[in-house]
Amino acid sequence: MLSGHYLEFHARLSPVFPPSRLLHDELSTLAWGTDASFYRLIPQVVVCVETEEEVVRVLAESRRLSLPVTFRAAGTSLSGQSVSDSILVVLGGAWKRHRIHGDAARISLQPGVVGAHANALLAPFGRKIGPDPASINAAMIGGIAANNASGMCCGTAQNSYRTLASMRVILPDGALLDTADEASRAAFRASHAEMLGRLDALARRAKSSAPLASRIREKYRMKNTTGYSLNALVDFEDPIDILQHLMIGSEGTLGFIAEVTYDTVPELPCKASALALFPDIAGACRAVPLLKACSVDAVELMDRASLRSVEGKEGMPAYLPALPGGTAALLVETRAADAAALGDSVRRITGALAGLPMVRPLEFTDVPAEYELLWNIRKGLFPSVGAMRRTGTTVIIEDVAFPVPRLAEAALDLRALLDAHGYGEAILFGHALEGNLHFVFTQDFGAAREVDRYAAMIDAVTAMVVKKYDGSLKAEHGTGRNMAPFVEREWGAEAYALMREIKSIFDPAGLINPGVVINPDPQAHLKNLKPLPPADPIVDTCIECGFCEVHCPSKNLSLTPRQRIAAVREISRLRVAGDDPARRSALERAFRYAGDETCATDGLCATACPVGIDTGKLIKEMRRRGSTRLSRAAAALLARHMGLVTRAMRAALNGVAAAHALLGTRAMLGAAGA
Ligand SMILES: Cc1cc2nc3c(=O)[nH]c(=O)nc-3n(C[C@H](O)[C@H](O)[C@H](O)COP(=O)(O)OP(=O)(O)OC[C@H]3O[C@@H](n4cnc5c(N)ncnc54)[C@H](O)[C@@H]3O)c2cc1C
């Protein structure tokens, strides 16, 4: 039940938003309380916005009533930055428009466009967007830009920060700025002179201190998404350019991104890959600087535990199980404009690595079926841990970066530290060219002792990354709540003070995604941990990544597969614990339509799920279990007369086909729509 200011917020927005886009019932708020991270916050109100005017209106009401607001795109964030216990502003089914400029050197994208869709639009021109997170098939432009997400190939040269051309942004005070439009820039300069003056002063302060300016530049030679994009202060002169680059990586804490225009990058058509296998991780890391000097597009490091996690799985190379104990792999990809250039590149790489000890001879392949097989090893790593974990535990992927020349030492240190904290089963892999290592492990947050063990390990990792290597604590995934307590540890007091000022310049009332990026609570990363109780073996391996959502036919009508699973988990938890029967029956009642009756059970979700879950199968199973005596009798009758039923259905479908031939597609579409 809403109360206080939330009740008033709801009342004031009710005339503007239809009930289907202004939600506050038990089931919807629970369903929207989950993102891909291991944090849960249940919003009081969920607002699905479709236009800039609606965003401005929501921000105005939130300001008037001092209510915090969090923006949500696809909710695939891993650090807890897209959940809220206040107002969650969701992009809904809108924000999908795009404009391709000229010969596709630029593309303007609304924040609800899925990254892979943007690339599909650009593919005919031989172009793509720069940022390439592994989640690109689900993640949306709003989240990609706000997290400054990146992946295997884009490095630090082609991320959102580097490829941003212009942006439409709505600031927390409701002002709209279009940085591509000179009139909008001029109007903004007049209306926000004080704000721009403060940003300018901050930039001067950063530039005038040589040690600070060089520290900022140095830290962005590595991948870094810890804290705000301080490089904006030293890279640009015009405060409006500073402003739009600060929005990149701001994790929805500085304002709303209503459109991004990217400079696109070439998508080279010819590719070759090789799996280079070294006797140990130090050997693999020593090869990285040699590869960096060649024309390589991706170099993915995988330790022995990673390779072991996928060996024996369908489609994996047969030699994996027989590899010696310490083996480490570099999966190398090179791309070129034509076959001749590709051949040159392969020869150069092979030459550079010649003489290094390897477990198997180095062999490049440019046959798509063969290199896709190699890349399936890498793609299978995270899901394999997710699928094999004990029910009730969560899977965590951490994301640190080290200076490349010290990668070997750092990887060994990290392994030893994980072992010392009882995380021996963790797998270690990452984007070696950037010194970016991910470690994936399973974690039980159900017992205080386990939370303490996690806390001790994170404390040790952050100390090691910062003090020994001056690395980054979040290379790609954003600070969120997970690393917010450690931003000052990584950056130091002077740079952290700049970040706090940035937040107060944009959002003086602190209402936009509070607790994310800047959080004074040293224990914030250990609070609001998400329970993952057992619900049903069909879905217990779900990691709530949200990759299924983009394919779900009911996503804009009721619930998505991830949300169905979150609801089933909570209902099951309440049932087992015997807690709050009123809440349980409210959830069960609401689930009947939103979870059950509107699920198409078509299995499309399984095609995108990294652990292969078909949520439709769960719903069918629930229907079977919940079926009444009458429906069982009807089913039995149907089964006894299956031949007759099939003949009748065939006749009916033939009738539809005949009507289609007679009336044409337009009339049929109209009739079907009606
Ligand atoms: C299995 C898996 C693999 C992943 N691999 C990668 C990877 O390789 N590289 C990587 O960088 N990340 C990766 N991620 C993390 C995540 O997918 C990316 O950061 C992604 O870009 C987030 O996009 P999203 O649409 O889900 O955004 P959301 O999670 O919805 O939001 C992300 C942030 O942006 C803010 N936001 C959203 N829309 C707007 C807007 N319009 N205006 C202002 N702020 C907004 C939100 O408040 C939030 O802070 C991975 C995640 C998973 C689950």
Side-chain angles (χ1 to χ4, degrees):
M1 279 296 272
L2 288 178
S3 60
H5 282 171
Y6 289 105
L7 192 61
E8 196 180 336
F9 176 84
H10 187 269
R12 290 185 64 88
L13 288 186
S14 292
V16 185
F17 289 87
S20 59
R21 293 203 282 120
L22 190 62
L23 309 164
H24 65 96
D25 59 284
E26 295 267 14
L27 181 62
S28 306
T29 50
L30 169 75
W32 284 103
T34 202
D35 66 5
S37 72
F38 52 93
Y39 298 97
R40 164 175 291 165
L41 287 172
I42 303 211
Q44 297 284 324
V45 183
V46 179
V47 195
C48 303
V49 290
E50 293 189 346
T51 62
E52 292 176 346
E53 294 71 29
E54 288 181 357
V55 175
V56 171
R57 181 67 195 267
V58 169
L59 288 174
E61 295 304 336
S62 99
R63 267 195 324 277
R64 217 175 66 80
L65 297 163
S66 291
L67 298 177
V69 164
T70 295
F71 304 119
R72 163 77 69 93
T76 65
S77 282
L78 291 162
S79 310
Q81 60 266 57
S82 60
V83 286
S84 163
D85 58 1
S86 180
I87 294 162
L88 189 71
V89 177
V90 173
L91 291 180
W95 307 95
K96 301 281 185 208
R97 285 203 294 274
H98 75 276
R99 293 189 315 280
I100 292 177
H101 304 276
D103 53 0
R106 279 194 176 165
I107 186 167
S108 299
L109 297 158
Q110 284 197 318
V113 176
V114 172
H117 293 174
N119 282 343
L121 294 165
L122 291 166
F125 303 91
R127 314 284 298 176
K128 60 179 180 174
I129 58 169
D132 61 348
S135 52
I136 197 159
N137 288 338
M140 296 172 181
I141 294 302
I144 290 174
N147 278 356
N148 198 16
S150 57
M152 297 187 200
C153 300
C154 88
T156 50
Q158 295 182 339
N159 58 21
S160 292
Y161 180 90
R162 293 279 167 216
T163 57
L164 176 71
S166 66
M167 185 186 281
R168 271 175 88 83
V169 49
I170 299 173
L171 291 165
D173 66 3
L176 174 78
L177 166 66
D178 183 345
T179 64
D181 175 5
E182 209 26 73
S184 174
R185 287 175 87 111
F188 192 82
R189 272 191 212 104
S191 63
H192 286 71
E194 193 207 329
M195 178 193 190
L196 294 177
R198 288 179 70 191
L199 281 181
D200 190 39
L202 219 55
R204 282 172 200 280
R205 204 164 100 203
K207 284 179 193 126
S208 64
S209 159
L212 181 59
S214 90
R215 172 156 182 71
I216 292 171
R217 290 204 174 92
E218 196 52 42
K219 282 197 70 71
Y220 288 104
R221 278 191 232 293
M222 253 179 292
K223 279 194 177 185
N224 193 332
T225 59
T226 316
Y228 290 122
S229 302
L230 287 187
N231 40 351
L233 299 178
V234 295
D235 288 347
F236 299 95
E237 294 301 326
D238 184 331
I240 289 183
D241 291 335
I242 295 173
L243 183 155
Q244 66 170 348
H245 284 88
L246 281 172
M247 290 300 298
I248 301 293
S250 64
E251 301 177 31
T253 63
L254 302 181
F256 181 82
I257 298 169
E259 186 183 81
V260 177
T261 300
Y262 280 120
D263 289 326
T264 61
V265 301
E267 169 69 318
L268 298 174
C270 300
K271 300 179 193 175
S273 288
L275 187 68
L277 292 159
F278 298 86
D280 53 35
I281 204 156
C285 291
R286 273 194 289 273
V288 175
L290 304 175
L291 287 165
K292 216 172 161 119
C294 301
S295 169
V296 285
D297 291 87
V299 177
E300 292 293 299
L301 172 71
M302 293 175 272
D303 73 350
R304 184 67 185 96
S306 299
L307 297 171
R308 196 170 293 119
S309 74
V310 292
E311 68 189 23
K313 297 229 159 86
E314 202 186 320
M316 292 296 128
Y319 55 76
L320 288 186
L323 293 173
T327 307
L330 290 180
L331 180 54
V332 183
E333 180 168 288
T334 178
R335 298 179 182 185
D338 54 48
L342 188 68
D344 285 348
S345 178
V346 166
R347 272 188 294 282
R348 264 197 304 276
I349 298 168
T350 313
L353 297 188
L356 293 185
M358 288 204 203
V359 171
R360 288 173 60 89
L362 183 67
E363 254 179 73
F364 270 90
T365 172
D366 61 357
V367 179
E370 287 174 10
Y371 64 63
E372 271 158 26
L373 198 112
L374 296 178
W375 280 94
N376 284 343
I377 301 177
R378 168 65 181 83
K379 288 180 189 154
L381 298 183
F382 182 58
S384 73
V385 180
M388 276 154 53
R389 75 190 197 279
R390 192 163 46 82
T391 302
T393 62
T394 190
V395 57
I396 298 182
I397 176 165
E398 282 300 340
D399 169 37
V400 292
F402 302 97
V404 173
R406 298 186 69 190
L407 187 59
E409 191 192 347
L412 292 172
D413 272 351
L414 189 55
R415 180 86 261 167
L417 191 150
L418 291 169
D419 289 348
H421 285 80
Y423 290 91
E425 87 294 350
I427 66 170
L428 205 68
F429 60 91
H431 314 315
L433 285 178
E434 311 299 329
N436 181 192
L437 291 183
H438 297 300
F439 53 101
V440 178
F441 54 96
T442 61
Q443 179 70 45
D444 183 356
F445 284 130
R449 202 160 32 90
E450 279 296 285
V451 178
D452 291 346
R453 184 169 75 106
Y454 170 75
M457 184 270 285
I458 286 296
D459 196 51
V461 168
T462 53
M464 190 257 280
V465 172
V466 169
K467 291 185 187 146
K468 186 162 180 192
Y469 294 100
D470 198 13
S472 31
L473 295 173
K474 283 287 177 188
E476 304 180 332
H477 296 165
T479 312
R481 293 164 204 284
N482 186 235
M483 276 303 153
F486 302 98
V487 177
E488 185 168 9
R489 177 180 274 189
E490 175 175 332
W491 275 95
E494 199 181 7
Y496 189 57
L498 291 178
M499 294 187 191
R500 290 173 49 161
E501 278 185 56
I502 289 168
K503 174 69 175 167
S504 78
I505 291 172
F506 279 78
D507 178 26
L511 292 175
I512 311 295
N513 214 3
V516 166
V517 182
I518 304 288
N519 192 325
D521 180 355
Q523 301 287 305
H525 61 304
L526 305 174
K527 293 182 178 158
N528 305 303
L529 300 170
K530 178 162 67 179
L532 285 179
D536 189 295
I538 300 175
V539 296
D540 280 343
T541 51
C542 172
I543 50 180
E544 301 192 358
C545 66
F547 287 8
C548 53
E549 297 195 333
V550 72
H551 296 296
C552 177
S554 65
K555 62 176 178 289
N556 297 321
L557 172 70
S558 52
L559 296 183
T560 68
R562 165 168 66 173
Q563 294 175 330
R564 288 189 168 92
I565 293 171
V568 169
R569 280 179 164 156
E570 180 63 0
I571 291 169
S572 156
R573 187 190 70 76
L574 290 170
R575 188 179 297 128
V576 171
D579 278 354
D580 205 343
R583 175 168 151 80
R584 171 157 73 90
S585 57
L587 288 174
E588 281 174 340
R589 260 195 320 277
F591 191 83
R592 240 170 264 154
Y593 171 76
D596 176 355
E597 289 166 17
T598 50
C599 175
T601 65
D602 54 12
L604 274 179
C605 44
T607 61
C609 174
V611 289
I613 293 172
D614 175 357
T615 309
K617 216 164 150 186
L618 170 75
I619 302 299
K620 280 189 266 191
E621 179 59 19
M622 289 171 75
R623 286 175 190 166
R624 194 189 62 78
R625 280 185 224 141
S627 58
T628 61
R629 212 141 33 110
L630 190 67
S631 60
R632 274 202 297 273
L637 187 73
L638 280 177
R640 275 199 304 278
H641 301 284
M642 202 55 198
L644 182 66
V645 172
T646 314
R647 281 197 299 281
M649 288 304 293
R650 189 177 299 133
L653 289 173
N654 283 338
V656 172
H660 186 194
L662 209 63
L663 302 173
T665 300
R666 240 179 113 101
M668 280 304 277
L669 275 177

